[in-house]
């Protein structure tokens, strides 16, 4: 099996490498033909821009062009105004780069490239231009032309010549995810799903959902992308996101019943377990819904905890049937190219909400401060020494700090990038002073460059070696500095290479001193932020934002899953049970029920939500366990809700309260209407 999948991948890698090299040579030749001053920038841009999937290349292309134009415009406006004050110019360029990086880190979509490129493009254009500020406009225009030419060539070749569409990659990941979710659903329905491996499985699916979301952002940029598929995938992803916390809720209710399941309910669970993994010949979902509705018990104020749990379980089982059926229908419609807006969906959920993403303003600001300091230190060294080629140092510090700012600890990646850049410097030296002097025409030049740059392309095509290939390809093309005539000078090349490495070393040292943090610190910060979000969710009484909440919490869950090994054991158990997410969804169920409840019940629920918000803020500050008075408030609200007349609002309130109780107090004694003190609290 492993061998059968490796050959297509290897062929795709070679094809991508050949396409990238062809695009780079096309960009170089056009730049030489129209006599651009630095044609090698067009070549280097191809290696920076190209991605194995055509949609990924196209999704970033427009934003790269816009970012380059914004950076060039900033250079024209800033450099002449401050060129006579080197210290002030350095500060302005550093602040511009830092502000752009800050916005880029908050965006977390392909659009973020616009802001990041706008930031360091000013450094790339502005620092070398200080020696000739009068020509800044021509330099900025030329640089924008060179980079835009490289982006256009990379995009055209990627989308026209043997394009690798994003759609099959997304479809394969979605199909795999749904298969895994069906198996997990079957295990939960059969009484499993509570082991360490099962909880890790849920967490892994959460992380894969984030990967699918990231990959799907490129789908709309595919050549000939199907609008129906793009819209259908958005709806399908929402259902997929809701499935994970739903399975956790079902597991909790089955665990709370602890074997107190009658024959009819047991038969239903077995039937559902078979149906969820069955193929197209499975029985109609309508039959299962009818059985679930027939088994649901009526509830009143003195109903037993087991009876309440059975009713709540059956409500969740009905939702499982609806979501599973919708996922199959949406996936089939997407595969058939049909309009998914016409697919009848059984599960009610808020639609039309843009995917919510986690934004850490403090960490983004911290990263921005790191790049500002790195640029200023390099500029101070450059100004103090009067080094003619010293402009490369702040340039590379800006690029390195920006490229890797999204990582917890960027320093190791910058070290590896610098090490492979040094390899590129050595390779370029061989080309410049041993090979290229003997070449007399462009055909031989292309043939000579092919072995090295084809290898760089193969490395870029493979995820595990992509950073190596990027360092070799982009920096190799830049430092090679090919022009229409050969004019290499070893002393000038050595000076440029040393300045390049000084910038890299400065980026590493200052990143370690200013910006590096452990994954554990980031994970704890994410957990605290999630508790704060729960508190806010409890306080915002009547807002129907279930989809936005799920998107935000699952986005954080995916980020946490990437750092799972660094999370303390106590927090791991909470995380891999999707506890915060499930409690938040139950809070939203309660809020949805508000307008259909009596004033007395509403007052009890509001009191409970206020205490829940305070408790969540306390957990966010690390104050420990949930308080006992919150459990009492939940039980009071339960008692009031059970006395309500049968209605959808009662159902929403019931599943919300039961979910919050089992989620926050899994080891608490069973609810009982006649518990000591409960009636007195109600009175």
């Amino acid at each position: 099996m492993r061998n059968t999948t490796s050959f297509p991948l290897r062929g795709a890698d070679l094809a991508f490498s050949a396409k990238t090299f062809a695009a780079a040579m096309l960009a170089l030749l056009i730049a030489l033909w129209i006599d651009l001053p630095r044609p090698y920038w067009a070549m280097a841009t191809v290696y920076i821009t190209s991605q194995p999937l055509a949609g990924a290349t196209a999704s970033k292309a427009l934003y790269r062009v816009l970012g380059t134009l914004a950076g060039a415009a900033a250079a024209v406006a800033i450099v002449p105004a401050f060129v006579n004050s080197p210290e002030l110019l350095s500060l302005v360029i550093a602040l511009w780069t830092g502000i752009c990086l800050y916005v880029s880190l908050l965006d977390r979509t392909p659009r973020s490239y616009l802001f990041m490129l706008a930031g360091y493009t000013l450094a790339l254009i502005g620092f070398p231009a200080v020696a000739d500020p009068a020509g800044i406009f021509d330099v900025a225009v030329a640089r924008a032309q060179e980079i835009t030419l490289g982006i256009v060539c990379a995009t055209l070749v990627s989308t026209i010549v043997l394009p690798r569409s994003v759609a099959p990659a997304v479809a394969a990941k979605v199909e795999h995810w749904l298969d895994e979710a069906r198996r997990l659903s079957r295990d939960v329905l059969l009484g499993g799903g509570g082991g360490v491996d099962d909880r890790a499985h849920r967490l892994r699916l959460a992380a894969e959902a984030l990967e699918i979301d990231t990959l799907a952002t490129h789908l709309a940029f595919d050549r000939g992308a199907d609008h129906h598929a793009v819209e259908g995938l958005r709806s399908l992803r929402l259902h997929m996101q809701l499935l994970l916390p739903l399975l956790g809720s079902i597991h909790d209710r089955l665990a709370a019943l602890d074997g107190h399941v009658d024959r009819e309910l047991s038969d239903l669970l077995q039937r559902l377990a078979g149906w969820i993994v069955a193929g197209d010949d499975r029985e109609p979902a309508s039959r299962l819904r009818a059985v679930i509705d027939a088994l649901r018990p009526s509830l009143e104020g003195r109903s037993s905890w087991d009876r309440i749990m059975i009713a709540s379980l059956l409500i969740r089982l009905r939702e499982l049937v609806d979501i599973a059926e919708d996922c199959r229908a949406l996936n089939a419609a997407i595969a058939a190219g049909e309009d998914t807006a016409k697919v009848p969906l059984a599960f009610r959920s808020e639609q039309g909400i843009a995917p919510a993403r986690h934004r850490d303003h403090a960490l983004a600001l911290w990263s921005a401060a790191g790049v500002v300091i790195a640029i200023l230190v390099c500029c101070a060294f450059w100004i103090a020494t009067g080094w003619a080629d010293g402009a490369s140092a702040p340039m590379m510090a800006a690029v390195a700090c920006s490229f890797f700012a999204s990582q917890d600890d960027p320093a190791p990646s910058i070290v590896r990038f610098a090490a492979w850049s040094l390899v590129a410097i050595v390779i370029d030296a061989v080309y410049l002073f041993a090979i290229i002097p003997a070449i007399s025409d462009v055909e031989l030049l292309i043939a000579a460059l092919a072995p090295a740059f084809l290898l760089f392309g193969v490395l870029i095509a493979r995820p595990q070696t992509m950073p190596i290939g990027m360092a070799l390809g982009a920096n190799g093309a830049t430092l090679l500095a090919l022009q229409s005539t050969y004019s290499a000078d070893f002393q000038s090349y050595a000076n440029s290479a040393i300045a390049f490495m000084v910038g890299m070393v400065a980026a590493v040292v200052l990143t370690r001193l200013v910006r590096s943090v452990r994954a554990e610190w980031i994970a704890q910060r994410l957990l605290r932020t999630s508790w704060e979000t729960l508190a806010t969710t409890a306080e915002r009484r009547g807002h129907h934002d279930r989809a936005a909440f799920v998107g935000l919490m699952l986005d954080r869950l995916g980020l946490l899953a990437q750092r799972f090994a660094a999370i303390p054991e106590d927090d791991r158990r909470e995380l891999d049970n999707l506890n915060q997410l499930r409690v938040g969804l139950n809070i939203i169920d309660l809020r949805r029920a508000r307008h259909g409840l009596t004033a007395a019940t509403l007052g009890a629920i509001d009191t409970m939500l206020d205490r829940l918000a305070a408790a969540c803020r306390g957990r966010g500050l690390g104050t420990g366990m949930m308080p006992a008075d919150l459990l009492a408030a939940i039980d009071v609200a339960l008692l009031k809700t059970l006395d309500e007349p049968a209605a959808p609002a009662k159902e929403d309130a019931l599943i919300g309260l039961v979910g919050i109780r089992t989620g926050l107090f899994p080891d608490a004694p069973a609810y009982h209407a006649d518990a000591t003190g409960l009636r007195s609290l109600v009175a």
Side-chain angles (χ1 to χ4, degrees), residues 440-472:
S440 57
D441 55 61
V442 70
E443 292 83 3
L444 285 177
L445 175 64
I446 293 174
L449 294 175
F453 282 89
L454 285 173
L455 174 61
F456 302 161
V458 170
L459 293 173
I460 293 174
R462 297 176 178 270
Q464 59 270 38
T465 58
M466 188 273 290
I468 299 173
M470 185 70 70
L472 292 171

Side-chain angles (χ1 to χ4, degrees), residues 432-600:
L432 285 172
F433 304 109
I435 298 176
I436 293 179
I439 294 175
S440 57
D441 55 61
V442 70
E443 292 83 3
L444 285 177
L445 175 64
I446 293 174
L449 294 175
F453 282 89
L454 285 173
L455 174 61
F456 302 161
V458 170
L459 293 173
I460 293 174
R462 297 176 178 270
Q464 59 270 38
T465 58
M466 188 273 290
I468 299 173
M470 185 70 70
L472 292 171
N475 292 325
T478 303
L479 294 168
L480 199 58
L482 293 174
Q483 301 277 9
S484 57
T485 58
Y486 178 78
S487 59
D489 173 72
F490 184 79
Q491 183 177 354
S492 175
Y493 178 77
N495 264 319
S496 297
I498 291 171
F500 183 100
M501 294 307 299
V502 166
M504 287 292 185
V505 171
V508 171
V509 172
L510 292 167
T511 297
R512 287 199 184 278
L513 292 175
V514 176
R515 168 60 180 81
S516 295
V517 295
R518 295 181 301 169
E520 180 181 351
W521 186 88
I522 298 291
Q524 292 290 351
R525 185 173 178 82
L526 286 165
L527 286 169
R528 288 194 300 269
T529 305
S530 293
W531 282 117
E532 182 67 28
T533 299
L534 282 183
T536 303
T537 303
E539 291 167 345
R540 294 177 61 194
R541 299 287 193 238
H543 296 272
H544 296 278
D545 49 7
R546 184 185 186 95
F549 175 83
V550 171
L552 176 61
M553 294 295 282
L554 277 175
D555 186 46
R556 286 191 189 134
L557 191 64
L559 296 173
L560 280 164
Q562 298 168 0
R563 302 164 174 87
F564 187 65
I567 299 173
E569 185 62 32
D570 289 343
D571 289 327
R572 279 192 198 182
R573 286 195 294 270
E574 196 166 73
L575 172 61
D576 59 24
N577 280 326
L578 284 72
N579 199 45
Q580 292 174 319
L581 173 59
R582 284 159 36 213
V583 170
L585 290 175
N586 285 305
I587 292 172
I588 293 173
D589 286 330
L590 275 180
R591 293 187 343 205
R592 185 169 56 197
R594 291 181 55 82
H595 301 295
L597 300 174
T598 62

Side-chain angles (χ1 to χ4, degrees), residues 593-607:
R594 291 181 55 82
H595 301 295
L597 300 174
T598 62
T601 303
L602 190 58
I605 289 176
D606 284 349
T607 298

Side-chain angles (χ1 to χ4, degrees), residues 34 45 129-130 170 199 260 307 429 448 546 572 672:
I34 60 179
T45 300
V130 295
V170 175
R199 296 198 302 269
H260 299 155
R307 192 175 179 85
R546 184 185 186 95
R572 279 192 198 182
H672 198 283

